[in-house]
């Protein structure tokens, strides 16, 4: 099983839609979890950390389910500018592990 | 602050050539990293450094070398370029360790032909 797995997508949604991505991980000892956003041919940028109790930042909500070993990202009221690839990142053994990303395309 | 600065942005090498990818940060970060990203793949760690004078291998170090003579600079050296090293390279830094936000440079697109 891969350390971290994401559905590559693309997820095609209209503006204003709500969309959610999941990311599953295999290392139950992982302590820290993040969502990074990567625009085409650009560097990844931190979108938000993921806390055990779940956390929200504007239209974005992140949740962690340790029992089932997955994290999720929910985007409400999608904007055209949300089109990007969303990378799931978590701590492995003394290192960060990056998922391959889920591509989101928001259309008018 | 410029953040993390990488040069060059693009480079084409012939097989067997060598080059150095430059990376500098002005945030006084102790930790610096080099990643490569192949199409459709996650970022893979090549080398990292926890401070000046200290470097260590990541997941995919073969064919690369690094040095960290100062806190600010972390160059990545390719000695004998191979087609398998065609990739996008990202340098990153943070204050310390895996719990801290990573700041990335804008990347270097390298093609080895």
């Amino acid at each position: 099983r891969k350390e971290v797995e994401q559905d590559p997508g693309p997820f095609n949604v209209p503006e204003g839609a709500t969309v959610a991505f999941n990311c599953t991980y295999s290392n139950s000892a992982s302590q820290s979890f993040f969502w990074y956003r990567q625009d085409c041919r650009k560097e990844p940028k931190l979108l938000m950390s993921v806390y055990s109790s779940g956390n929200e930042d504007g239209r974005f909500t992140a949740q962690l389910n340790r029992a089932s070993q997955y994290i999720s990202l929910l985007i409400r009221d999608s904007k055209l500018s949300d089109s990007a690839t969303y990378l799931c990142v978590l701590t492995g053994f003394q290192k960060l592990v990056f998922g391959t990303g889920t591509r989101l395309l928001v259309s008018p | 602050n410029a953040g993390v600065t990488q040069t060059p942005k693009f480079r084409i090498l012939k097989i067997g050539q060598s080059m150095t990818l430059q990376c500098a940060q002005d945030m006084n970060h102790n930790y610096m990293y080099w990643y490569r990203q192949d199409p459709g793949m996650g970022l893979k760690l090549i080398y990292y450094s926890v401070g000046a004078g200290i470097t260590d291998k990541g997941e995919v170090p073969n064919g690369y070398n690094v040095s960290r003579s100062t806190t600010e600079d972390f160059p990545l050296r390719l000695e004998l370029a191979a087609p398998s090293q065609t990739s996008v390279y990202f340098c990153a830094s943070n204050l310390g360790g895996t719990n801290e936000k990573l700041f990335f440079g804008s990347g270097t697109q390298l093609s080895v032909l």
Side-chain angles (χ1 to χ4, degrees), chain A residues 70-91:
Chain A
Y70 73 87
I71 66 171
S72 64
L73 177 67
L74 179 80
I75 305 175
R76 290 181 299 277
D77 189 22
S78 298
K79 311 291 185 191
L80 294 175
S81 57
D82 293 334
S83 296
T85 296
Y86 291 84
L87 307 178
C88 167
V89 184
L90 50 94
T91 50

Side-chain angles (χ1 to χ4, degrees), chain B residues 95-109:
Chain B
L95 279 172
T98 54
N99 294 321
E100 298 285 337
K101 173 184 176 181
L102 276 173
F103 293 80
F104 284 88
S106 57
T108 297
Q109 173 72 63

Side-chain angles (χ1 to χ4, degrees), chain B residues 25 27-30 32 51-52 68-74:
Chain B
Q25 53 88 14
M27 297 173 282
N28 203 31
H29 286 168
N30 287 323
M32 296 188 74
R68 185 94 182 270
S69 56
T70 66
T71 300
E72 294 78 19
D73 299 299
F74 191 42

Side-chain angles (χ1 to χ4, degrees), chain B residues 32-55:
Chain B
M32 296 188 74
Y33 311 82
W34 274 105
Y35 291 93
R36 61 177 286 174
Q37 186 177 33
D38 299 323
M41 304 293 285
L43 276 75
K44 298 294 184 186
L45 182 64
I46 304 171
Y47 269 96
Y48 68 100
S49 169
V50 300
I54 306 170
T55 63

Side-chain angles (χ1 to χ4, degrees), chain A residues 3-6 22-25 33-37 50 70-72 85-90 96-102, chain B residues 42:
Chain A
E3 285 188 274
V4 57
E5 292 194 74
Q6 293 185 256
N22 281 348
C23 165
T24 59
Y25 61 94
F33 305 86
F34 311 90
W35 284 103
Y36 277 73
R37 171 195 167 125
V50 186
Y70 73 87
I71 66 171
S72 64
T85 296
Y86 291 84
L87 307 178
C88 167
V89 184
L90 50 94
L96 285 172
V97 180
F98 286 78
T100 55
T102 297

